[in-house]
Amino acid sequence: MNLTLKIWRQKNASDKGKMVDYPVSDISPDMSFLEMLDVLNEQLIEQGEQPVAFDHDCREGICGMCSLYINGEAHGPDRGVTTCQLHMRMFKDGDTITIEPFRATAFPVIKDLVVDRSAFDRVQHAGGFISVNTSGNTIDANAIPVNKHDADDAFAAATCIGCGACVASCKNSSAMLFVGAKVSQFALLPQGQVEATDRVLNMVKQMDEEGFGNCTNTGACEVECPKGISLENIARMNREYLKAAFKG
């Protein structure tokens, strides 16, 4: 396939940045999207130009690093996949593909397609943990009965990889799906009840301080989430927040 790539280039956080066109040829439909970018970068290096900076790590859809906004969609036109799992067969010969970083005040651009998502880390640090006795008297997790439906919902929430697609796809740059998932995975289990009140209050507070917007109720976040995190987690977080507010 022969393609035209329109890629956001930005030297650093203070640079204005601009879209730059790059032609690429002989792209196999069996390549992943990141492999296609590797081909482009090899071409740029051979020409003595700066390669395009983009995040990646596992390339297996696990780590959530490879977050790109492709043709106006977080992670591109496929569903239930991250950018590294997106294959070029989703595009046609002669296509023009627009590639941008995730856009959000809380996700400032570092360089080209790389953004700083440490805001998610700070939200997680505010309450995304449980207290566990590691003094030698640790209780086996299987000793505490857990309702099957609750266990399934907790596992489903825990599949969130923190890529930020929910934020990028939301017109308010809301992180409520991410925070809702992190709150839910503990709220549904007995091990998460010790810090339940402080957890939701602190995580929502940190979310607001980072500059994320409020939920739009349009559901774009669930549609473009590569792990299919349900909007039910936002509703659960809101219920947990109201309970905690009344207690406090």
Side-chain angles (χ1 to χ4, degrees):
M1 294 190 297
N2 297 325
L3 305 164
T4 299
L5 307 179
K6 300 177 77 69
I7 301 179
W8 181 259
R9 299 305 305 265
Q10 185 173 334
K11 293 180 180 178
N12 50 53
S14 59
D15 184 44
K16 186 177 181 181
K18 62 181 180 180
M19 300 296 292
V20 179
D21 291 0
Y22 297 103
V24 289
S25 57
D26 298 325
I27 299 299
S28 168
D30 295 324
M31 283 183 179
S32 73
F33 198 86
L34 296 190
E35 287 172 334
M36 181 273 296
L37 290 179
D38 290 337
V39 170
L40 170 64
N41 278 343
E42 287 177 6
Q43 175 182 308
L44 292 176
I45 292 169
E46 288 175 359
Q47 296 170 354
E49 298 181 38
Q50 279 288 319
V52 177
F54 61 93
D55 261 336
H56 62 95
D57 193 357
C58 73
R59 298 202 178 201
E60 294 179 346
I62 299 170
C63 69
M65 292 294 292
C66 58
S67 302
L68 300 179
Y69 207 64
I70 304 165
N71 285 350
E73 297 180 272
H75 295 299
D78 207 351
R79 289 291 170 262
V81 299
T82 55
T83 302
C84 64
Q85 296 173 301
L86 177 68
H87 283 83
M88 297 311 297
R89 66 179 72 97
M90 297 296 297
F91 303 94
K92 297 177 181 178
D93 184 41
D95 275 358
T96 296
I97 304 175
T98 302
I99 311 169
E100 301 175 81
F102 280 180
R103 304 288 190 182
T105 301
F107 289 167
V109 174
I110 298 173
K111 182 178 180 180
D112 294 339
L113 304 174
V114 180
V115 298
D116 181 359
R117 284 172 286 177
S118 59
F120 270 10
D121 295 332
R122 291 187 289 273
V123 172
Q124 187 78 344
H125 293 165
F129 52 84
I130 62 171
S131 293
V132 177
N133 186 341
T134 57
S135 64
N137 297 317
T138 308
I139 299 174
D140 189 286
N142 292 329
I144 305 174
V146 179
N147 180 280
K148 180 64 165 60
H149 294 296
D150 290 342
D152 289 345
D153 288 345
F155 274 118
T159 60
C160 169
I161 56 176
C163 66
C166 51
V167 176
S169 61
C170 178
K171 58 188 176 182
N172 281 356
S173 297
S174 172
M176 290 187 73
L177 191 67
F178 166 76
V179 180
K182 298 305 178 184
V183 167
S184 291
Q185 72 182 71
F186 296 123
L188 288 161
L189 300 176
Q191 292 89 342
Q193 299 311 307
V194 178
E195 297 94 354
T197 298
D198 290 339
R199 176 182 300 111
V200 66
L201 294 176
N202 291 340
M203 293 184 77
V204 170
K205 180 174 181 260
Q206 188 65 41
M207 175 183 71
D208 292 340
E209 289 178 356
E210 295 294 342
F212 293 109
N214 206 349
C215 179
T216 64
N217 295 312
T218 57
C221 54
E222 181 179 351
V223 171
E224 298 194 20
C225 173
K227 299 303 177 182
I229 302 298
S230 172
L231 288 173
E232 292 178 2
N233 291 293
I234 296 179
R236 185 177 294 106
M237 179 185 69
N238 288 335
R239 292 194 297 270
E240 290 292 316
Y241 188 87
L242 283 173
K243 286 194 295 183
F246 281 123
K247 286 181 180 178

